[in-house]
Amino acid sequence: SMAAYTLPEGFTDFDMFTFGTALLVGGVLGFFLNAISIVSFLSVKEMRNPSNFFVFNLALADISLNVNGLIAAYASYLRYWPFGQEGCNYHAFQGMIAVLASISFMATIAWDRYHQYCTRQKLFWSTTLTMSGIIWILSIFWAAVPLMGWGVYDFEPMRTCCTLDYTRGDRDYVTYMLALVLLYLLFPAFTMFSCYDSIHKHFKKVHQHRFNTSMPLRVLLMCWGPYVLMCIYACFENVKVVSPKLRMMLPVIAKTNPIFNSLLYTFGNEFYRSGVWHFLTGHKIVDPVLKKSK
């Protein structure tokens, strides 16, 4: 019967459908684009080098965020969360691992590109595998912390997906949130800014701009900035004064990040897209030759 669920406060049936559709479209598109990236890496032998492995890991993190969004879309169409509190915790935990790993790999790719273009230092498999392993372990650790009682996972305003509960605003939440902002937003953003700034200067020197160096950081801040600002605001003020619809829009915007990442790092990366092209068409592209800087 239609009365089996009660709509969350501030949402109509139409809102549930609209948000569900936004999550569905973003999830399907991101999933498809990142799947191409993953399958290309696994099937084209020439692509499997240490630098591309970072991009591959970013796609893995992003596709798992897409899966997270698709589960939320499914629940939004049902208009309630069918998996219980246990499922809510697991969903939030899985989503948090994906987000933290995704942002970490964006910073790592920036660091690697800096070496590719500016220092020409060779990246070894041992370094790549070690760094990737550490990133995943740290992401799992920081995502598991709320399950151990520092911070709490709970439902988002629409009650069809789960995330860090920012409405409590207690000391546990504040300290955990500020740790995350420092480690997983400010530090990666600073890394990206300094690396891409150096690359930009190098491009100017050799008169060859191989990609837009300001885009990666812009995309990160555009997708995650508004949501993180709300979470920081919640550290100091009661966030419930912000309308539930707006509080719901911000994570939906954030979950579009995997789409932009695949366009930037898979299809916009000269060393990766040739492999994707090879995978999709069967034709090889001659590798771009880097000009030695004078």
Side-chain angles (χ1 to χ4, degrees):
S1 72
M2 287 296 282
Y5 61 87
T6 47
L7 284 171
E9 207 183 324
F11 293 91
T12 62
D13 268 328
F14 179 71
D15 294 332
M16 302 293 279
F17 177 77
T18 309
F19 275 113
T21 305
L23 285 163
L24 180 71
V25 171
V28 167
L29 191 57
F31 187 93
F32 180 67
L33 292 171
N34 283 295
I36 291 176
S37 174
I38 289 164
V39 177
S40 303
F41 182 84
L42 294 174
S43 56
V44 178
K45 198 167 142 287
E46 294 82 8
M47 276 181 87
R48 292 200 284 277
N49 64 44
S51 288
N52 285 347
F53 187 67
F54 285 141
V55 180
F56 167 73
N57 273 280
L58 175 63
L60 282 181
D62 279 339
I63 206 166
S64 69
L65 187 59
N66 293 134
V67 170
N68 188 275
L70 289 170
I71 292 166
Y74 170 69
S76 301
Y77 284 131
L78 291 181
R79 298 182 182 74
Y80 71 96
W81 177 257
F83 310 109
Q85 185 65 49
E86 190 74 9
C88 169
N89 279 343
Y90 185 74
H91 182 248
F93 171 62
Q94 185 261 338
M96 184 66 92
I97 295 172
V99 170
L100 299 182
S102 172
I103 293 173
S104 305
F105 281 110
M106 286 184 232
T108 310
I109 291 166
W111 170 85
D112 177 47
R113 280 175 152 181
Y114 166 73
H115 288 297
Q116 275 179 330
Y117 290 102
C118 301
T119 69
R120 299 293 154 84
Q121 271 176 293
K122 191 168 156 45
L123 182 66
F124 293 101
W125 269 111
S126 54
T127 315
T128 306
L129 292 169
T130 306
M131 285 177 73
S132 301
I134 290 170
I135 286 172
W136 283 109
I137 290 164
L138 281 177
S139 301
I140 292 166
F141 168 77
W142 280 101
V145 162
L147 298 175
M148 301 184 268
W150 182 21
V152 178
Y153 287 137
D154 208 352
F155 292 100
E156 291 199 4
M158 215 161 71
R159 304 199 66 77
T160 55
C161 48
C162 293
T163 185
L164 188 66
D165 182 6
Y166 50 78
T167 58
R168 286 169 198 250
D170 57 4
R171 192 166 64 184
D172 272 359
Y173 167 75
V174 172
T175 48
Y176 177 66
M177 192 64 223
L178 294 180
L180 280 193
V181 168
L182 189 68
L183 290 170
Y184 284 98
L185 189 71
L186 296 180
F187 176 63
F190 175 73
T191 304
M192 289 168 76
F193 176 78
S194 50
C195 291
Y196 285 118
D197 188 52
S198 300
I199 296 169
H200 179 69
K201 289 182 175 126
H202 169 76
F203 284 170
K204 268 169 96 165
K205 203 173 76 181
V206 298
H207 302 297
Q208 196 172 29
H209 292 267
R210 304 194 82 107
F211 63 89
N212 184 334
T213 48
S214 66
M215 272 313 263
L217 183 57
R218 258 189 222 163
V219 163
L220 170 67
L221 295 177
M222 179 188 79
C223 293
W224 283 107
Y227 186 62
V228 173
L229 283 174
M230 175 182 69
C231 292
I232 296 171
Y233 177 77
C235 289
F236 308 103
E237 297 291 335
N238 180 4
V239 78
K240 287 183 173 163
V241 298
V242 181
S243 84
K245 267 185 221 169
L246 178 63
R247 287 183 3 228
M248 204 56 232
M249 269 164 78
L250 301 182
V252 171
I253 292 167
K255 280 179 180 155
T256 61
N257 188 234
I259 298 170
F260 294 109
N261 281 352
S262 62
L263 297 175
L264 271 182
Y265 297 103
T266 294
F267 300 95
N269 179 334
E270 53 182 342
F271 302 107
Y272 206 92
R273 67 173 163 228
S274 56
V276 174
W277 180 249
H278 182 181
F279 164 69
L280 292 174
T281 64
H283 298 302
K284 285 187 184 180
I285 292 185
V286 184
D287 265 346
V289 181
L290 284 179
K291 282 187 182 164
K292 287 271 179 272
S293 50
K294 310 231 169 359

